Amino acid sequence: MSDSCKTFSLLITSPPWSSQAHITALNFAKSIINKKHTLYRIFFYSDATHVGTNSAVAPQDEKDLPSEWKELAKEHNIDLVVCISAGIKRGVLDANEQSRYETPANTLREGYELSGLGQLVDAIIKSDRVISF
Amino acid sequence: MKKNILVIMRSAPYGQSRARDAIDLILTSAAYDQEISVLFQSDGIFQLIAEQQPKELGLKNINAQISAFEMYDIEAVYYDQESLSARGLKPEQLNDQIKPVSNSEIQSLLNQADTVLTF
């Protein structure tokens, strides 16, 4: 196996609070960066989209997963995409969707983007490896 | 750019949304003109049962959506023969558009794929 640099993306489908998947994925993401590979996009699908809810508050004695993803993404210029179809049915709506469906609030966390499954296909096309959690 | 994407369906059709989520991804990949293959394995075999009546559950028929793959030019759609016999099912109980594959054929599907996603 050569140590040439590769481009990775992550597909996360597991829920943030009732599974260990996000913690494992975060550690994996940090390893990718430490090993000088490129992390292109993190795509949150299915129950993983709950991580993009801005009204969720992490308990003080637990890892603040939504903020950790956001900080990692900001520092290393990684796309954090919440699937729009999976997100809006779980109450994750950005300003556009909020006005379209006339819901009470913009609930998308800052630093996250709400977009379609095409962003996952684009990540598959542009990455050497897509790892699922 | 075109990638060879293999989606492995290992979940039962109802009870969880994994099958439905995977189908949405498969159809989107096809719309983006990717080379896509689909393998039904393990409990994913149950998605192919021809006589499904999910209306009773208030859910959409997964097998009907799988039958529509052809319209999207998704033709490399297979099921694992071993998973079928392990569940006491017969090929004639399944959606007849789907082709059986052996373990060695599954190996080559995996080898050909640029990306493998399991649902």
Side-chain angles (χ1 to χ4, degrees):
Chain A
M1 178 94 194
S2 78
D3 54 0
S4 62
C5 287
K6 297 219 180 293
T7 301
F8 286 78
S9 286
L10 308 186
L11 164 63
I12 308 187
T13 56
S14 304
W17 304 112
S18 50
S19 82
Q20 198 194 307
H22 284 245
I23 298 173
T24 313
L26 256 167
N27 289 337
F28 188 78
K30 288 173 188 166
S31 297
I32 290 172
I33 293 159
N34 287 341
K35 298 277 183 191
K36 312 284 178 222
H37 298 297
T38 305
L39 188 48
Y40 174 60
R41 180 170 296 149
I42 321 270
F43 191 88
F44 299 100
Y45 193 29
S46 308
D47 280 347
T49 52
H50 285 300
V51 81
T53 311
N54 67 6
S55 54
V57 180
Q60 278 189 345
D61 57 351
E62 276 183 43
K63 243 182 192 316
D64 185 354
L65 294 165
S67 303
E68 289 210 18
W69 279 125
K70 186 180 132 187
E71 278 154 30
L72 187 81
K74 198 173 165 194
E75 193 180 338
H76 301 283
N77 199 25
I78 305 160
D79 276 353
L80 283 188
V81 180
V82 173
C83 176
I84 187 163
S85 57
I88 64 170
K89 67 179 163 191
R90 291 174 176 83
V92 191
L93 287 86
D94 63 5
N96 276 338
E97 299 309 300
Q98 182 211 345
S99 67
R100 186 200 314 263
Y101 296 104
E102 297 174 342
T103 56
N106 170 355
T107 48
L108 182 70
R109 191 176 290 270
E110 195 203 320
Y112 290 73
E113 184 192 333
L114 201 62
S115 193
L117 270 173
Q119 295 293 310
L120 173 57
V121 179
D122 171 75
I124 293 170
I125 295 168
K126 295 196 177 132
S127 307
D128 300 303
R129 300 273 188 276
V130 179
I131 314 293
S132 310
F133 290 89
Chain B
M1 208 174 129
K2 212 174 223 190
K3 284 247 172 147
N4 189 327
I5 306 168
L6 171 64
V7 178
I8 305 182
M9 307 284 253
R10 296 178 60 91
S11 311
Y14 312 106
Q16 285 193 334
S17 67
R18 284 194 75 77
R20 235 176 43 205
D21 292 343
I23 288 171
D24 286 346
L25 172 59
I26 290 165
L27 297 180
T28 308
S29 308
Y32 279 73
D33 207 24
Q34 299 302 298
E35 209 169 296
I36 181 137
S37 15
V38 186
L39 170 66
F40 292 86
Q41 201 173 35
S42 184
D43 281 353
I45 289 286
F46 292 115
Q47 295 178 36
L48 302 176
I49 302 277
E51 299 295 326
Q52 299 182 23
Q53 286 158 10
K55 254 197 182 154
E56 306 278 330
L57 304 169
L59 293 168
K60 278 191 232 166
N61 191 325
I62 291 276
N63 185 45
Q65 286 180 285
I66 292 165
S67 294
F69 281 180
E70 241 181 342
M71 278 183 346
Y72 292 82
D73 291 325
I74 306 165
E75 278 157 10
V77 188
Y78 311 98
Y79 70 84
D80 169 21
Q81 269 171 329
E82 257 184 32
S83 302
L84 182 82
S85 51
R87 282 158 187 77
L89 294 167
K90 302 247 161 4
E92 52 270 27
Q93 291 173 277
L94 302 188
N95 180 335
D96 60 9
Q97 293 169 23
I98 319 296
K99 303 169 268 284
V101 280
S102 64
N103 274 342
S104 63
E105 288 167 305
I106 292 171
Q107 253 174 34
S108 46
L109 278 177
L110 289 164
N111 282 336
Q112 285 159 21
D114 297 308
T115 304
V116 180
L117 297 169
T118 304
F119 282 85

